[in-house]
Amino acid sequence: MGRWLDGRGRLVVHGERKGFTVPLELATSYRARTKGLLGRDSVDGALLLSPAGSVHTFRMRFPIDVAYLDRHLRVIAVRTMQPGRLGLPRLRSRHVLEAEAGVMEGWGVGVGVRVEIVVE
């Protein structure tokens, strides 16, 4: 773990599909976290917002899956959010993963699953 910088990497999911890898964007600066997925029509893989405890989908163009991660990168909740919604803050959440709606289930991302961030 540690402190990451804005950039690209890979998300490794240590769930049912052992070591499943997904392209990842890291948004760790205030500016990058504020922009997030706004103004996009899709996302290639996932976006990690860090630090983050909640998200919103105001002015977004598509529904997203949101996974809340604790400080050990273990998933504590997964929700699908439609555009124009405000997500509830999650206690113990330190990071948030965002991806297009429906893909996280296929990746094996669920409550209790640990993920790993590999920076390129």
Side-chain angles (χ1 to χ4, degrees):
M1 277 183 295
R3 182 94 168 113
W4 303 294
L5 299 175
D6 292 345
R8 297 199 169 274
R10 294 186 325 268
L11 174 72
V12 182
V13 180
H14 297 286
E16 294 175 9
R17 298 178 68 180
K18 304 265 190 256
F20 185 75
T21 303
V22 177
L24 180 69
E25 281 184 59
L26 292 102
T28 59
S29 68
Y30 176 77
R31 184 176 188 170
R33 288 191 321 267
T34 301
K35 184 172 185 215
L37 296 175
L38 296 178
R40 298 190 197 186
D41 293 321
S42 66
V43 60
D44 178 30
L47 173 71
L48 176 74
L49 304 171
S50 179
S54 66
V55 296
H56 68 82
T57 58
F58 298 119
R59 297 187 348 228
M60 290 194 67
R61 297 178 181 169
F62 57 96
I64 61 172
D65 281 347
V66 178
Y68 298 89
L69 309 175
D70 67 11
R71 64 187 176 125
H72 301 292
L73 300 179
R74 191 165 303 277
V75 178
I76 56 176
V78 179
R79 299 287 180 262
T80 299
M81 294 178 64
Q82 297 298 320
R85 302 288 191 256
L86 178 64
L88 295 173
R90 302 285 173 195
L91 295 176
R92 301 185 347 259
S93 177
R94 298 293 181 268
H95 318 281
V96 174
L97 277 174
E98 296 180 343
E100 290 187 27
V103 299
M104 285 195 187
E105 184 178 355
W107 296 344
V109 175
V111 175
V113 171
R114 191 179 64 80
V115 298
E116 178 183 351
I117 308 303
V118 179
V119 178
E120 294 179 348

